Amino acid sequence: MKRRVAILISGRGSNMTALIEAAKAQDFPAEIVVVIANKADAAGLAKARDSGVATVTIESKPFGKDRAGFEAKLQSALDDYRVDLICLGGFMRLFTTAFVQRWHGRMLNIHPSLLPSFPGLDPHGQALRAGVKISGATVHFVIPETDAGPIVMQGAIAVRDDDTAETLAARVLEIEHRIYPDALRLVASGAVDLEGDVCRTTADASCGAGLISPAVLRPKAQK
Ligand code: GAR
């Protein structure tokens, strides 16, 4: 039985699209049953509808600081669609601890940095200011702390000296679109176990050559 997934978005929904595309494969262990936005103008809503996925909008703004009130409506939509797993895709609203605990081990998020480095806002600016040579993206289970929780999968790219937050974001986004569907595949197929703060998987973690950045060009050996 495929796991029933809701994707929560606030904006353009490019990760949502990557998940919807991946879930079209017959052997994918999850189906995207609904996309829920907390903003009526989220561009991803139209893309979801074009893909034939049901959409629900629950405006969060009128709820102000009443997070529990917003979450009651959200939970009722999740119940309507009999959702097993939630994927956050650029969902820019914090949850109460009660909601996070209710979905413990069943709610994933993607963040565009190699967590635990650079959580929160402007992760690419943070990475550039720190001068890291490798950055990337992380799919993790959601816990009450923002952009933290057991890590399911990470993907890395080299940071270039001439990168701006925009160019870095664009290359990291390509990685995001690769790892989010793969991470969901792992979780939905039961290949992942939570052991406290750590997520273990039966999947293959040998990726061949490591990523070293910057690469040093060595002169060819003298004859
Ligand atoms: C993505 O880069 C995602 O990693 C980030 O928001 C963007 C949403 O783009 N999420 C966070 O920063 C969470 N802290 P998308 O709407 O095109 O998927």
Side-chain angles (χ1 to χ4, degrees):
M1 269 275 274
K2 293 195 183 216
R3 310 302 306 279
R4 297 172 65 80
V5 173
I7 306 175
L8 272 52
I9 63 167
S10 300
R12 76 189 154 179
S14 71
N15 278 290
M16 171 207 77
T17 302
L19 292 170
I20 290 174
E21 287 304 311
K24 286 180 181 166
Q26 278 226 325
D27 72 338
F28 200 81
E31 59 179 317
I32 313 304
V33 293
V34 65
V35 167
I36 303 175
N38 68 324
K39 289 181 175 181
D41 62 357
L45 282 171
K47 294 183 204 163
R49 281 193 286 268
D50 288 349
S51 305
V53 177
T55 61
V56 171
T57 303
I58 306 168
E59 284 276 7
S60 55
K61 209 167 181 184
F63 287 93
K65 288 186 178 151
D66 177 17
R67 291 189 195 287
F70 169 74
E71 287 165 4
K73 282 202 93 170
L74 176 59
Q75 184 60 51
S76 133
L78 295 167
D79 290 341
D80 287 347
Y81 284 88
R82 291 180 288 113
V83 168
D84 300 310
L85 293 169
I86 296 175
C87 287
L88 306 180
F91 188 71
M92 296 306 184
R93 171 125 184 144
L94 299 176
F95 293 114
T96 62
T97 300
F99 185 85
V100 172
Q101 276 166 357
R102 179 171 193 162
W103 285 90
H104 177 77
R106 298 186 298 148
M107 178 155 56
L108 295 171
N109 181 42
I110 189 158
H111 182 75
S113 74
L114 292 175
L115 293 173
S117 293
F118 318 134
L121 296 177
D122 190 25
H124 303 298
Q126 293 186 58
L128 291 175
R129 286 188 292 278
V132 296
K133 305 305 178 203
I134 292 173
S135 191
T138 303
V139 178
H140 63 95
F141 283 104
V142 175
I143 61 171
E145 198 184 330
T146 306
D147 297 328
I151 292 172
V152 180
M153 192 175 286
Q154 294 185 301
I157 54 137
V159 179
R160 298 177 188 146
D161 274 357
D162 61 354
D163 263 326
T164 61
E166 289 71 31
T167 60
L168 188 54
R171 290 205 310 292
V172 170
L173 195 63
E174 288 177 25
I175 292 286
E176 293 185 49
H177 297 164
R178 288 170 57 192
I179 65 171
Y180 213 172
D182 282 354
L184 177 58
R185 179 184 279 276
L186 280 187
V187 171
S189 64
V192 155
D193 277 324
L194 276 179
E195 289 177 19
D197 294 341
V198 174
C199 185
R200 309 244 179 242
T201 173
T202 51
D204 186 2
S206 59
C207 69
L211 173 60
I212 295 174
S213 170
V216 176
L217 297 175
R218 292 190 174 77
K220 287 213 172 107
Q222 301 283 326
K223 283 191 181 161

